[in-house]
Amino acid sequence: MDEMNQVQAHNLLGLKTQTPKRKDNALTRTLRSCCFIPQRYILGVMGLLGVCNAYTMRVCLNLAITQMVNRTKNGMEHFDPNACPNDEEIGGNATTILRPYATFDWDEKTQGLILSGFYYGYAATQVPGGYLAEKFGGKWTLGIGLLSTALFTFLTPIVIRAGGASWLFILRVLQGMGEGPTMPALMIMLARWVPPHERSFQGALVFGGAQIGNIFGSFMSGVLLSDGRDWAYVFYFFGGFGLLWFTLWSLLCYSTPNTHPYISKKELNYLNKNVTTAENSTTKDPVPWKGILRSASVWALVFAAVGHDWGYYTMVTDLPKYSHDVLKFNIATTGTLTALPYIAMWVSSFLFGFVCDLCIKKGWHTIKTGRIIHTTIAATGPAICIILASYAGCDRVAAMVYFILSMALMGGFYSGMKVNALDLAPNYAGSLTSLVNTTSTFAGIVTPYLIGLLTPDSTLVQWRVAFWVCFAVLVGTNVVYCIWADGEQQWWDDVRKFGYPQGWKHGPLIPDEPEQPESVRLSSKKATDDAF
C-alpha cells in the first residue's frame, strides 16, 4: 500500500496525468544514470524468468516421479494391426535400468492424482490473486506467490519422505495455490507498464517464459536424474532457482512506473502519456463483475482461452506419449524431440509479436483485427497440423514436422488472445485474466483425462479420434472469438469515464452511486453491442 500513497496524494489535487514530484537522493540519481535499459524491458525479462521459474517448478515432478516409483504396469498387450515398427528393443534384448531411489509403491491412479493436485490449487487462487494484485500491486502478489512455491518445491523431498503420497498431494495443491496469482499479477503489471503498440511483443517475451520453462525444466531434470542420482536434487535445484529469482525481482521490479525509484524521467513521462489506466484514481472501485460477466468480448476471450488450453495441454501432456507409444521412438529420442516444438513455439511467438505490433503501429490494421488474425492462426493452424500428423501414420519425420509446425503456429496466441485482456480492461486486467485462466484451467484438467479415455490401448486409430476432438474444440472456440472479440477498452473498465450503455438495467457498478439517467448514458454502438 505504501507504493501507492504518493500517487494517490498527488491525485487528490486532480492532477491525474502529471508525474508526482520525488526527492532524489544521491543513490537514486546514480542508479538512474546507470540504468540505460528502459525499465519496462527489465520488467519484461524478469517476467519471462518468473514464468520460466513457475513452469519449471510445475513440471519437474513429471520426470522426477519416474525415478521415485518402483511399481511398473503389467498387463496384456493389445494387438494393433496399424502399429508402427518398434526400434526400442534391438535383437529382443531389453536393458534393465537400476533406480536405487525408487522406493515408493504408487499405482497409476495415485500418480495421476498427485500430478493433478497442482491444478486444483492453481484454479482456486486465480480470482483472489487478481483481486490482491489490483488492490496491493502486482509486484508482491506475484513475488510472494512464487516465493511460497519455491519454498514448497525445496521442501518436497522432506515432505514426501515424512508423509508419502498424501502429504505430497497436499503440497502440490499448495504449490498450485502459490502459482495461481502469477498470470493475473503479470497482466496487471503489463497493463501499467506497456503501451498498447508494444503489448504483442512484450506479451510474447513474458509468456514465452512458459516454453523456456518447459525446455529448461525437462533438460535439467534429465541431467540431474541421470546415472541413478537421487531425485531430490531436482527439487533442490529448482527450489533454489526460485529463491534466486525472488531476490532479483524484489530489487529490480515495481508495481507501477510512478512508484519505481530510479526509472528515467523520459521513460516515466512516456509511459504516463501512452499507457491507458486509471491507477491514479483517488479510490479504487470494486471489480465490475456485473459488467464483466455480461460482456460479449469477455466470453469470446474465455472461449478462445479454453481452445488454447485444450490444444496446448494435448500437445504438452500427450505428445511424449504419442511419440513413444504410437511412433515407437525410444525414450532418449522422445525426450529430445519433445523439446523441439517448445523451441519452435517460443521463437515464433516473437515473430508473431513483432509483426502484430508493427502492423498496429503503422495503422495497417486495428488492435481488434490483429488479435483475431493471430488467434485464428494459432487455433486453426495447429488444428489442421495435428490431423495431418495423425494421418501421416508411421512416417515419423512427417508426423514430427507437423507437430513442430503445430506448436510454432500456436505461438500466435501470445500476440492474439493472450494479451487481449490488456486491451479490454487495463484497470482490471488481473481480475479478467483470473476469470479466463480459472475457466481454461479446468479444460486443462479435463483434457488429459478425456484423452486417456479415448486412447485406452494407445493405438494410432484411437489417437486419431482424440486429435479430431482437439480439432473441433480449437476451431469451434476460434469461431466464437472471431464473432465477438474486441480490441478496445470496455465501458465497465472505467465507468466514470465512459458511463453506462443504453439499456443498462442491472444497477450501478460503483457503490453509493445512483444509476445514470438515460440522457447521460453511453450511446456508442460498441458499448451497446458489448452488453448482454
Side-chain angles (χ1 to χ4, degrees):
M1 293 294 292
D2 292 339
E3 292 186 355
M4 300 301 298
N5 288 343
Q6 185 179 8
V7 175
Q8 291 176 347
H10 174 78
N11 290 293
L12 285 173
L13 300 176
L15 304 174
K16 294 186 177 182
T17 60
Q18 297 179 9
T19 304
K21 294 181 179 180
R22 297 179 291 185
K23 295 181 179 179
D24 295 343
N25 54 36
L27 177 61
T28 300
R29 289 193 295 270
T30 301
L31 290 173
R32 185 177 296 162
S33 62
C34 293
C35 295
F36 56 90
I37 301 175
Q39 294 301 316
R40 63 186 184 279
Y41 297 139
I42 293 178
L43 173 68
V45 172
M46 289 303 301
L48 179 150
L49 293 176
V51 175
C52 172
N53 176 37
Y55 270 74
T56 57
M57 293 188 292
R58 180 186 306 188
V59 304
C60 64
L61 180 62
N62 296 353
L63 285 179
I65 201 170
T66 64
Q67 304 303 307
M68 297 162 61
V69 178
N70 62 9
R71 185 185 181 105
T72 58
K73 182 178 178 181
N74 298 312
M76 296 299 293
E77 201 172 307
H78 176 79
F79 174 73
D80 179 14
N82 300 311
C84 299
N86 191 342
D87 67 354
E88 188 168 34
E89 295 182 3
I90 306 299
N93 296 320
T95 302
T96 301
I97 301 174
L98 297 177
R99 295 181 295 166
Y101 297 98
T103 58
F104 299 99
D105 188 16
W106 299 336
D107 58 21
E108 296 294 331
K109 180 180 179 181
T110 301
Q111 293 179 53
L113 183 63
I114 290 172
L115 292 173
S116 68
F118 176 92
Y119 294 99
Y120 291 101
Y122 186 72
T125 54
Q126 291 280 329
V127 174
Y131 171 79
L132 291 174
E134 286 164 353
K135 188 173 182 62
F136 300 107
K139 173 180 178 175
W140 295 116
T141 304
L142 170 61
I144 293 175
L146 288 185
L147 173 64
S148 67
T149 302
L151 291 173
F152 292 141
T153 301
F154 198 86
L155 295 175
T156 297
I158 299 173
V159 171
I160 295 174
R161 287 164 175 155
S166 299
W167 284 27
L168 177 57
F169 175 79
I170 295 172
L171 186 68
R172 288 291 290 176
V173 174
L174 294 174
Q175 287 177 321
M177 294 178 69
E179 285 197 18
T182 300
M183 294 304 176
L186 273 175
M187 280 294 188
I188 285 288
M189 296 187 70
L190 291 177
R192 303 290 188 263
W193 277 90
V194 183
H197 61 273
E198 295 182 8
R199 285 174 180 167
S200 298
F201 181 81
Q202 283 277 56
L205 174 68
V206 172
F207 299 119
Q211 312 317 318
I212 299 298
N214 285 328
I215 297 167
F216 181 63
S218 299
F219 175 77
M220 285 306 302
S221 294
V223 171
L224 294 170
L225 292 170
S226 63
D227 301 326
R229 294 191 183 95
D230 189 351
W231 48 262
Y233 294 144
V234 171
F235 301 102
Y236 295 146
F237 177 83
F238 290 115
F241 177 66
L243 296 175
L244 175 62
W245 173 86
F246 174 77
T247 302
L248 294 175
W249 175 262
S250 302
L251 295 174
L252 297 177
C253 298
Y254 290 81
S255 295
T256 66
N258 287 318
T259 56
H260 199 297
Y262 47 89
I263 186 175
S264 69
K265 293 181 180 180
K266 179 181 178 181
E267 184 182 13
L268 181 60
N269 292 333
Y270 173 76
L271 294 178
N272 282 332
K273 180 180 179 181
N274 290 279
V275 177
T276 302
T277 177
E279 66 168 275
N280 296 332
S281 171
T282 57
T283 59
K284 187 64 176 177
D285 296 329
V287 179
W289 288 115
K290 289 189 290 186
I292 292 175
L293 296 177
R294 290 176 173 84
S295 174
S297 56
V298 167
W299 288 106
L301 184 57
V302 169
F303 270 82
V306 170
H308 166 266
D309 275 19
W310 195 288
Y312 184 76
Y313 281 105
T314 296
M315 297 294 291
V316 169
T317 306
D318 295 299
L319 178 58
K321 186 174 178 62
Y322 184 84
S323 301
H324 182 264
D325 294 350
V326 177
L327 299 178
K328 301 295 174 62
F329 285 110
N330 60 52
I331 289 296
T333 305
T334 297
T336 302
L337 292 176
T338 299
L340 294 179
Y342 297 135
I343 296 173
M345 185 177 183
W346 181 59
V347 173
S348 69
S349 66
F350 286 104
L351 177 61
F352 283 123
F354 174 78
V355 171
C356 186
D357 280 342
L358 178 64
C359 292
I360 292 173
K361 191 173 183 179
K362 295 289 187 180
W364 294 340
H365 61 57
T366 64
I367 293 177
K368 173 183 175 179
T369 302
R371 303 298 181 238
I372 290 176
I373 289 173
H374 287 78
T375 301
T376 300
I377 292 172
T380 58
I384 294 171
C385 287
I386 61 175
I387 295 300
L388 293 175
S390 70
Y391 282 95
C394 295
D395 187 341
R396 299 178 182 182
V397 174
M400 291 309 301
V401 167
Y402 285 133
F403 282 130
I404 292 171
L405 181 60
S406 173
M407 291 295 280
L409 293 173
M410 201 174 284
F413 271 120
Y414 293 108
S415 52
M417 52 77 55
K418 278 290 187 180
V419 294
N420 195 200
L422 301 179
D423 306 319
L424 302 179
N427 297 312
Y428 297 99
S431 293
L432 179 54
T433 302
S434 66
L435 170 66
V436 172
N437 278 5
T438 298
T439 308
S440 62
T441 296
F442 285 107
I445 295 172
V446 170
T447 302
Y449 179 73
L450 178 61
I451 290 179
L453 293 178
L454 294 174
T455 60
D457 304 307
S458 204
T459 66
L460 179 61
V461 174
Q462 291 171 349
W463 273 97
R464 192 171 290 158
V465 174
F467 288 148
W468 272 112
V469 172
C470 184
F471 176 94
V473 173
L474 279 168
V475 174
T477 54
N478 183 69
V479 170
V480 174
Y481 184 77
C482 290
I483 295 173
W484 284 293
D486 202 347
E488 298 181 16
Q489 185 180 12
Q490 302 299 290
W491 67 269
W492 42 261
D493 184 60
D494 195 347
V495 71
R496 299 179 188 274
K497 175 182 178 181
F498 295 108
Y500 292 83
Q502 289 182 343
W504 179 260
K505 300 178 181 179
H506 306 287
L509 301 183
I510 303 174
D512 303 324
E513 180 202 42
E515 189 171 346
Q516 294 189 15
E518 192 74 22
S519 59
V520 297
R521 289 185 180 182
L522 183 66
S523 59
S524 69
K525 184 178 184 297
K526 178 188 79 67
T528 303
D529 291 345
D530 189 62
F532 283 150

